[in-house]
Amino acid sequence: EAGVAQSPRYKIIEKRQSVAFWCNPISGHATLYWYQQILGQGPKLLIQFQNNGVVDDSQLPKDRFSAERLKGVDSTLKIQPAKLEDSAVYLCASSETGETQYFGPGTRLLVL
Amino acid sequence: SQQGEEDPQALSIQEGENATMNCSYKTSINNLQWYRQNSGRGLVHLILIRSNEREKHSGRLRVTLDTSKKSSSLLITASRAADTASYFCATDFNFGNEKLTFGTGTRLTIIP
C-alpha cells in the first residue's frame, strides 16, 4: 500500500513570495491533515479536512495561508506572501478511522 | 499552545539499555498516542492507548497511562541503534474531532 505522498521535498523562497505544497493521501482515507513543524518543536495542526470539507482550521493563519482539498482526495496548501517565520517542515497526514494518522515525508521550507 | 510536554527533552543511553520517556498533558483525553520521527522524515505511529486503559504493549514498547495524574510513559526495552529518533506523545481530547495535539518531543540517542 502506497503511503502519503508530498511534493516538493524541499523549497527555498524569498520572503513575500508565494509557495504551494501538494499532498496525496493514502487511498480511501477520508481525513487529511496539514501540520507545521518548526525546528525543535512538535507538529502543530494547521487544518483538518473530512473528505472535501474543513473540520478545523482554527490555527491556520488565514491572512496568508490557504488550503483546499478538491474532490476529497489530493490537497494543496499555499502560503502567500511568505514570512521568515514560516520556515518549517510542512507535514501532511491522512487517516481512515480518525485515530491513527499516517504521515508523509514532509516539505522542508526555508524562507530567506 | 501544545498539550503535551515530554520529559526529558533529550536522553542518551547505551545500546541494550531500556529507555523511558514521559508525557504530561493538561485536559481530559479520549486517547493518547506515541509517534517516532527519524531525522529528516515524517512521523510514524507507534502505539495508541485509550483513556480507559492503563497499560499497553507492542513488541519492545510498553506504554502506561495514568489519567488521574494526566501522564503517560513510554518504555523501550533492549534499545537498538535504530531506535535513535525523536519521540512525541499526541493527545486526542476533542471527543469526536479526532484532532491530535503533539507534545514537544524527547530526542533519544542510542550509543552503540
Side-chain angles (χ1 to χ4, degrees):
Chain A
E1 178 181 84
V4 176
Q6 289 188 248
S7 67
R9 292 294 311 276
Y10 305 92
K11 191 74 177 178
I12 301 174
I13 62 173
E14 305 242 333
K15 60 183 179 182
R16 291 187 289 273
Q17 286 186 324
S18 63
V19 63
F21 312 126
W22 173 82
C23 173
N24 181 238
I26 293 173
S27 178
H29 283 196
T31 310
L32 185 147
Y33 310 81
W34 282 102
Y35 291 87
Q36 179 193 58
Q37 185 176 22
I38 293 173
L39 186 65
Q41 298 182 17
K44 182 184 83 170
L45 180 68
L46 293 176
I47 189 166
Q48 176 185 352
F49 291 94
Q50 179 77 17
N51 296 309
N52 60 351
V54 176
V55 175
D56 188 329
D57 63 357
S58 58
Q59 298 192 90
L60 186 73
K62 298 180 185 64
D63 58 334
R64 297 184 301 105
F65 286 64
S66 65
E68 61 181 7
R69 190 183 184 195
L70 299 176
K71 301 180 181 178
V73 182
D74 293 7
S75 177
T76 56
L77 175 69
K78 297 179 182 178
I79 307 174
Q80 182 179 11
K83 292 185 175 181
L84 297 177
E85 58 261 36
D86 298 332
S87 294
V89 176
Y90 291 84
L91 296 164
C92 178
S94 69
S95 176
E96 181 181 24
T97 65
E99 287 188 333
T100 301
Q101 296 186 19
Y102 297 87
F103 284 80
T107 296
R108 190 174 299 271
L109 174 68
L110 179 60
V111 182
L112 301 174
Chain B
S1 63
Q2 298 193 286
Q3 164 81 320
E5 296 289 335
E6 281 91 338
D7 172 58
Q9 291 188 346
L11 178 63
S12 292
I13 61 172
Q14 295 288 333
E15 190 169 19
E17 294 182 337
N18 296 341
T20 299
M21 53 204 84
N22 305 294
C23 169
S24 60
Y25 56 92
K26 299 174 183 175
T27 61
S28 296
I29 60 170
N30 186 33
N31 67 63
L32 185 145
Q33 304 179 35
W34 285 90
Y35 285 78
R36 181 186 70 219
Q37 186 174 39
N38 293 93
S39 179
R41 296 190 176 185
L43 287 89
V44 174
H45 179 262
L46 296 176
I47 196 165
L48 179 153
I49 187 165
R50 301 185 190 284
S51 60
N52 61 352
E53 298 175 312
R54 292 297 167 260
E55 187 171 312
K56 207 160 182 180
H57 296 255
S58 177
R60 294 184 296 112
L61 305 180
R62 172 178 170 255
V63 171
T64 61
L65 179 65
D66 187 334
T67 54
S68 66
K69 295 181 179 178
K70 292 185 171 61
S71 68
S72 173
S73 67
L74 171 67
L75 168 68
I76 304 173
T77 60
S79 63
R80 305 168 182 171
D83 295 328
T84 294
S86 291
Y87 291 80
F88 294 89
C89 69
T91 49
D92 172 3
F93 65 97
N94 278 14
F95 288 87
N97 201 20
E98 288 89 35
K99 167 183 166 180
L100 290 181
T101 303
F102 284 81
T104 51
T106 292
R107 176 66 191 170
L108 175 65
T109 301
I110 307 300
I111 303 166

